[in-house]
Amino acid sequence: MSSTQAFIDEAAKIYKVLSNSTRLNILYFLRHYNEADVKTIVNDLHLAQPIISKQLGILYRYQLVSRHKEGTRVYYALDDPHVIEMIDDMLKHVKHEIKGEPHPRNLYK
């Protein structure tokens, strides 16, 4: 397998991770809070603690968030802000689709 194919395969795995709206909500939450413990994320997103913890574990496994422990609390932060930029670009694409507007052209000239 070529190195390009290995990169494409890994990118596909990350896109699969990002296909979950709860995980996207967690990433956006961390974008604005920089760092938060699980309880804060649970309270803000109004989801059960086991759901948030499971999704944070997946995000951590794919190095999309980092974590550290202080006492009994685990704090999470974005590990790679470029991921949010990629998500922002996808949301721009979605807005064009919803509004029926043409997409920008000549991106690579």
Side-chain angles (χ1 to χ4, degrees):
M1 178 181 338
S2 72
S3 61
T4 301
Q5 186 61 49
F7 286 134
I8 289 171
D9 291 346
E10 190 61 25
K13 289 177 190 175
I14 293 171
Y15 274 116
K16 187 174 180 180
V17 169
L18 295 174
S19 71
N20 179 288
S21 62
T22 299
R23 291 191 282 264
L24 290 176
N25 280 320
I26 291 169
L27 292 171
Y28 264 88
F29 176 83
L30 292 173
R31 174 192 205 178
H32 297 290
Y33 278 81
N34 295 325
E35 180 180 83
D37 66 339
V38 175
K39 183 178 179 181
T40 302
I41 299 169
V42 165
N43 290 338
D44 192 78
L45 297 183
H46 308 290
L47 292 169
Q49 182 271 325
I51 293 170
I52 295 294
S53 292
K54 179 179 180 179
Q55 302 310 320
L56 284 166
I58 294 167
L59 292 169
Y60 179 76
R61 190 174 326 124
Y62 283 90
Q63 300 176 354
L64 299 173
V65 297
S66 60
R67 66 183 179 199
H68 74 276
K69 201 169 186 179
E70 290 181 19
T72 59
R73 293 183 181 218
V74 180
Y75 290 84
Y76 289 85
L78 288 177
D79 198 35
D80 185 355
H82 293 106
V83 171
I84 293 295
E85 293 173 15
M86 182 182 68
I87 296 167
D88 284 343
D89 287 341
M90 179 54 72
L91 292 176
K92 288 176 188 172
H93 171 77
V94 169
K95 287 178 184 176
H96 281 279
E97 291 296 317
I98 290 171
K99 292 179 180 178
E101 296 175 353
H103 296 285
R105 300 281 183 228
N106 303 323
L107 293 176
Y108 300 106
K109 284 188 177 183

